[in-house]
Amino acid sequence: MINKNDELVASYIEEANETLADFENDILIIEEAGANIDIELVNKVFRGIHSMKGSAGFLGLVSIGSLAHEAENVLNLIRNNELVPTSKVADALLRAADCLRGMTNNIDTSNDVDVTEFVNLLQVATTEESTPEVRESLNRDVDIALPTGGLAFVMIKEMELVMWQKQGFDIYVVSIDFFTDIHDKNLTPIDFYKRTNQHGNVVSSYMSTAGIGELDSELPDSMNFVMLFASMLAPADLAQAIGVPESQVSHIATSMQTNWEPSGPKEPSGSVESETQTSAPVEACPVEAIIPASQPVSPKPKNNKPDTVIPTSSTPASTNLRVNVKVLDRLMNLAGELVLGRNQLLQEASDNSSLGMESVANRIDQVTSELQDAIMQTRMQAIGTVFNKFPRIVRDLSSQLGKECELTIDGKDVEMDKTIIEAIGDPLTHLIRNSVDHGIEDPATRKQRRKSPSGTIKLKAYHQAGKVNISISDDGGGIDGEKLKEKALERGIITSDQAADMTHREAVKLIFHPGFSMAKVVSDVSGRGVGMDVVRTNIEEIGGTVEVDTEVGVGTTIVVKLPLTLAIMPSLVLRCGQDRFAIPQVNISELVRIKASNVATTIEKIKNIEVLRLRGKLLPLVRLSNALGITSQFYDRKIDDLEDNQRAQIADRRSGQEPVQAVADLRSGQDRRENTVAGALNIIVVESGHFHYGLIVDELFDNKEIVVKPLGKHLKDCVCLAGATILGDGMVALILDVAGIASHLNLIMPDTEQALEDKARADSQDSETQSTLVFANDPEEFFGVPVEFISRIERIRASQIDSVGGQDVLQYRGSSLPLLHLADHARCKPEPEAAVYNVIVFKISGKEIGLVASNLVDISELPVHIDTVTFRQTGIIGSTIQNEKAIRLIDVFELTEAAHPEWFTQRETTESKENKSNVILFAEDSSFFRQQVTNFLQSEGYEVVACEDGQIAWDTLQDPEHQFGLVVTDIEMPNMDGLELARNIKSDPMFAHLPVIAVTSLAGQDDIEKGMKIGIDDYQVKLDRDMLLAAIAKHLKAARLKSGVLTNSEKHQIRN
Amino acid sequence: MTKNNKVKDNNIEIATFYVEDTLMGIDIQHIQEINRHLDTTTIPGASEFVHGVINLRGEVVTVLDLHNILGLNTTEITKQSRVVIVKTNEELVGLWVDRIADVVNVKSEEIEGAPANISGVDSHFFEGVFKMESELLVILDIDKIMDVNSEAAIV
């Protein structure tokens, strides 16, 4: 027996798995094509299986060899158009492939596997589907004997030999000595086999330790490998080509009329006679060779070009090389190390600037970067390796479920890190199965819904924003958020209050809740305890995210976003105590900074837990220093001076790099040095599963792409740590595990959550709030602006402000931004002189305008019920009280109008008084906006009926008491959203003529398109009063034109 | 001495070093290198026997505090302190020692079983002792030291 050479077996397994990976898809395509075969493709599959069989022979893998052999026969028949690849044949091949895969992966026990069942399957399929002539010859076995009387091969299917001969091949028995022919020539059996295969095809082979007949009798301990070989070469050429003495090659001449026998002297060159004389003559003994009279096939002259493609001869030279992943990992590490060395070198070079040094450093810099890229590249694999198994899964599953599904695959070439490719297989399989099982309806239901009976699943991989997105979309039944809610209620996952508050999107997210199976009935397909929560966890483990977009009756799209590589993870580096830590960006939802002066008012304590009130919700806070048991070096006033020193150093080291700084998540570009002012709090809001909490850290540094390194076994108990990384200065920084920190503090977290909720609820008498940016120009005077209105916030130096003709403008981004001072138009104190101002930028009537604010306080949730009497004046809507301070809310439109009346004159003239008798139906759930919009519509002379949601609006519309001329609706609303309201209106003949204008705070292109499809006439940004009024006027006029009801002036216009 | 089956070659080389004032040694085959890479990052929440982690040419290597493992007083890091990098099956692990001494050639039959207690240290982590001219060399059982996690749990 051959020495068990592990390396050989390993490379065999790898190669076999590659062959089998493509096999399924190829067979499916071949099956689809039916009789119309794609010869190239069949050849490719054939070659794969063929070489699998051949190598198996070398390695003594009997079961694999014989099953592969049988599959090869079937493919050969298909290739020669003797067998139509019906679904039965395809099934048999696929099942054989499954079995082969099983055996390959358990190669040690593969010879114990009984493959008879699969062999029979293949044989039955072939026999049933092939022509009678073929069938007959299929069932006949012949033996091939050596002249000495020993049998070289027994029970060879006659059909196989005939097949080869029909293609112009001659049949040889070749004996190979492992020692002299392979080992002594420094070859591995596989190499040898591959080389051999370039010159023909192995029909059958086996190992013999005893030597074959007299072939190698002079070598007592020879180990022989005997092949039945089909080749187009003459014996001498063949012997030379494969590198064995000619004496070991025996030609087997055949004639259909007579029996299989050794070749006669008719061979044109390299006469077999001489060969048989010099050494062991080979003779074939027919055992069961009563061959029927059929077309005599004699070997073709050797030099004739065959009319069939020689399968192996055209294989291009391999451009790939197998490399052990461990080697790549090591290379990767070394490259990382080289990068560090490069960084230090660059630092040195720039410090001791000498020209020669600098150019060398630059060169090394370039080469290092390229080297690092190239090494990263070696770990990349095409996602096709994962995608390729899905056609089979979809095919099998849909036929099992009695459904019809078509799978289209896009973006197989997209490359990702090997580790990710390996990890993504299972979650994707689950998602694909879900699509077939729960997404696509059965054909009958689909017909009812007027869809084509066959469902479509689209699988697509593409690059977006430095990530790889994989989307799986089906045109099935979609996910019913209401049903999910019901179920979640039933199982006590959510409370009825929560259910009532949930938007459709939130409800759909419930499928990711642990223990939530999407199937209404648990089927054997998906009800295997693997829920969507596992999918989500698996994907999040490799730094990815999952999103679901679904519409009942239309379909579901699931988008999985993955990083390109696991080894490198964008992370935020921070400091706590003396050490630096990193948190992966995927875990971070926002950064919040609270000034020292505001800490006391914004941070509260519940049962000894600090909480932050962030946009109406209470967020539990964790001081990282406490969680890790280290001393925070931030709040301790005693050592503050010491610390200042150190911070300055750190700041200097990092000067010139982009600061990470945020007021809530509105990046304001404040000087990062403020970060380190003692007493202020830097809070990283992190997300761990469904749980958000704030992590208080001492200082924030940059976002960095870090290389993740595992921690050793002695540190496995550190639940707060996910790994380590090496920073630019060569020091190790630890990567924090936000879920670990949460569970580490488990004792307090869960029961507080309820308390937090309760407190949140008790605190807000009015649940409706409005995110408002609060600023102050004077310590006593607070103003608020709804966040929705703000396009951005700029931080400017006083010197950037120019005064042009009494109007302050800010020169920036190549144009000038007009500035507003609140004190110029409203009764309040002017902002104090300062070196730096904040400018809140709005967009009004298509123009930008900036409001100067000296001190930004916070973004808070303010109740929408405001006092519109006490402080009402130009530019101020009214006021509200928070933390015992009165906050005046600014009406930016009114303010702008006061400052720039010329921007608004145009509208006034287009509005003629007589048009205003129209009644507008206005649906808006936020009472703040409802009040605002109603106010200004009424002030323009329209009559407005305001409704709290779409359902009420729809009911109101049907009330015959009102006659409406136009509908203005918000999109996001409970009970019935704006889209549904619009759909109802547009599909009801009574109301279809009504113009519908949708108002949103942020109109995304997707939303607009969706809305336009439904029939929404126009989109306006909420509270852009000017544009909205113009749109209302335009659509009212258009509607009147259509219905022929025109106002007098309009009639007059038309007449002229 | 049955446990000493890996010391079956006649001649073994022992790299020796001092932990506090005790001369200790490890079969040189287990050692990859010795350096003075003491720029450790401390690990919050880790066991007391973990001194910290270091960056060893791109690998993050855990450094254990032999003083703590052996129940000795932890001393200050001095100019003579070194990290002995030990190869194990899974990973590299560093051992913080106070001073490096010579490599000693020892015949396996000259190694004696460890007494229950040497300079106040429990013999649990000792493989044996070797009597040198002037002092006693304690040979450490590297597997037990690497297993200090579970060992600690038992003790």
Side-chain angles (χ1 to χ4, degrees), chain A residues 506-729:
Chain A
E506 281 168 343
V508 168
K509 273 193 182 167
L510 283 171
I511 58 169
F512 293 118
H513 204 283
F516 206 103
S517 173
M518 239 208 294
K520 269 175 269 167
V521 183
V522 172
S523 66
D524 68 329
V525 178
S526 56
R528 293 168 304 148
V530 187
M532 290 290 277
D533 65 312
V534 178
V535 170
R536 174 175 155 148
T537 317
N538 286 350
I539 290 172
E540 284 178 352
E541 258 169 28
I542 50 172
T545 57
V546 208
E547 283 163 27
V548 185
D549 189 14
T550 179
E551 199 170 329
V552 177
V554 180
T556 305
T557 299
I558 295 179
V559 180
V560 178
K561 293 187 180 173
L562 296 165
L564 281 173
T565 163
L566 258 195
I568 292 191
M569 208 186 263
S571 300
L572 178 69
V573 181
L574 56 98
R575 181 177 62 80
C576 181
Q578 287 188 334
D579 292 316
R580 282 168 293 169
F581 298 88
I583 297 181
Q585 282 289 352
V586 281
N587 294 127
I588 300 178
S589 51
E590 66 181 300
L591 304 175
V592 179
R593 187 165 175 282
I594 297 173
K595 283 188 182 172
S597 55
N598 294 340
V599 167
T601 51
T602 42
I603 307 255
E604 300 166 42
K605 272 206 168 184
I606 300 171
K607 288 190 194 166
N608 286 332
I609 298 172
E610 287 178 302
V611 293
L612 169 72
R613 192 177 296 272
L614 186 65
R615 287 191 292 281
K617 286 194 175 161
L618 290 174
L619 185 78
L621 296 179
V622 173
R623 288 187 190 260
L624 184 59
S625 48
N626 293 350
L628 298 177
I630 53 181
T631 319
S632 164
Q633 301 204 330
F634 199 67
Y635 306 105
D636 194 337
R637 297 251 168 210
K638 272 178 244 162
I639 58 165
D640 199 32
D641 287 343
L642 276 172
E643 278 311 290
D644 258 337
N645 212 355
Q646 188 192 337
R647 277 198 298 272
Q649 278 171 8
I650 294 166
D652 286 343
R653 202 163 63 224
R654 297 168 8 80
S655 62
Q657 289 171 3
E658 202 194 325
V660 176
Q661 163 68 2
V663 173
D665 47 355
L666 283 169
R667 303 207 160 215
S668 66
Q670 264 168 293
D671 183 353
R672 68 167 290 283
R673 237 165 269 228
E674 279 188 26
N675 250 343
T676 58
V677 172
L681 290 186
N682 292 307
I683 299 174
I684 303 173
V685 182
V686 293
E687 188 182 355
S688 133
H690 299 266
F691 191 66
H692 279 79
Y693 65 92
L695 211 48
I696 302 178
V697 304
D698 292 356
E699 186 175 1
L700 299 175
F701 293 138
D702 286 323
N703 277 316
K704 279 216 168 92
E705 307 255 294
I706 61 167
V707 180
V708 182
K709 312 267 179 184
L711 286 173
K713 70 167 183 173
H714 297 102
L715 304 170
K716 290 286 174 260
D717 297 340
C718 303
V719 288
C720 298
L721 306 175
T725 188
I726 294 165
L727 295 176
D729 59 4

Side-chain angles (χ1 to χ4, degrees), chain A residues 188-405:
Chain A
T188 68
I190 303 279
D191 290 338
F192 179 82
Y193 177 75
K194 280 189 179 152
R195 197 171 73 192
T196 309
N197 234 349
Q198 286 170 9
H199 304 290
N201 292 280
V202 178
V203 181
S204 184
S205 61
Y206 62 89
M207 303 276 317
S208 158
T209 42
I212 312 300
E214 314 298 322
L215 274 178
D216 283 305
S217 51
E218 71 274 19
L219 285 170
D221 58 344
S222 71
M223 204 156 69
N224 279 327
F225 180 75
V226 186
M227 308 189 288
L228 192 58
F229 194 69
S231 171
M232 293 202 170
L233 298 175
D237 298 341
L238 178 63
Q240 200 184 355
I242 62 180
V244 298
E246 210 181 320
S247 59
Q248 286 166 228
V249 177
S250 314
H251 183 252
I252 307 289
T254 60
S255 149
M256 300 305 279
Q257 271 102 4
T258 62
N259 301 326
W260 298 84
E261 60 184 23
S263 66
K266 59 196 165 196
E267 289 304 318
S269 67
S271 153
V272 182
E273 250 178 344
S274 61
E275 150 205 338
T276 46
Q277 278 157 7
T278 51
S279 77
V282 181
E283 189 187 315
C285 254
V287 169
E288 236 183 88
I290 312 135
I291 316 278
S294 74
Q295 204 70 359
V297 182
S298 55
K300 287 184 184 168
K302 300 295 171 287
N303 295 334
N304 270 14
K305 277 243 163 179
D307 38 20
T308 337
V309 185
I310 304 169
T312 48
S313 57
S314 59
T315 318
S318 166
T319 52
N320 295 324
L321 185 67
R322 278 174 215 286
V323 180
N324 191 325
V325 179
K326 278 187 186 154
V327 177
L328 296 183
D329 287 343
R330 210 173 125 66
L331 275 177
M332 187 76 168
N333 268 337
L334 291 174
E337 203 50 23
L338 188 58
V339 169
L340 286 181
R342 185 257 327 252
N343 292 349
Q344 284 164 354
L345 177 68
L346 287 178
Q347 186 64 43
E348 280 294 309
S350 71
D351 289 351
N352 324 311
S353 176
S354 97
L355 265 182
M357 177 76 169
E358 210 164 283
S359 78
V360 172
N362 280 340
R363 214 181 141 80
I364 291 199
D365 180 19
Q366 271 178 6
V367 174
T368 309
S369 304
E370 272 180 42
L371 185 66
Q372 196 191 17
D373 280 354
I375 290 172
M376 294 283 293
Q377 199 62 39
T378 59
R379 294 179 53 88
M380 301 300 250
Q381 271 186 335
I383 199 155
T385 50
V386 177
F387 282 6
N388 281 346
K389 64 176 177 176
F390 294 136
R392 168 87 188 273
I393 289 171
V394 171
R395 172 191 186 268
D396 287 359
L397 192 55
S398 51
S399 70
Q400 191 186 331
L401 295 167
K403 295 180 179 180
E404 290 170 39
C405 293

Side-chain angles (χ1 to χ4, degrees), chain B residues 2 7 9 13 36 42 53 136 139:
Chain B
T2 45
V7 199
D9 284 343
E13 287 181 299
R36 40 170 298 106
T42 46
V53 289
L136 203 60
I139 298 166

Side-chain angles (χ1 to χ4, degrees), chain A residues 964-1014:
Chain A
F964 293 102
L966 183 133
V967 178
V968 177
T969 179
D970 184 23
I971 297 293
E972 288 284 332
M973 286 186 292
N975 300 324
M976 185 190 286
D977 67 13
L979 292 176
E980 203 176 336
L981 176 63
R983 197 181 292 130
N984 284 343
I985 292 173
K986 291 300 177 182
S987 56
D988 188 322
M990 278 273 287
F991 306 113
H993 65 279
L994 280 179
V996 177
I997 298 175
V999 285
T1000 62
S1001 36
L1002 280 172
Q1005 196 57 39
D1006 283 0
D1007 293 338
I1008 293 180
E1009 270 168 31
K1010 212 187 262 176
M1012 293 295 180
K1013 235 183 253 170
I1014 291 166

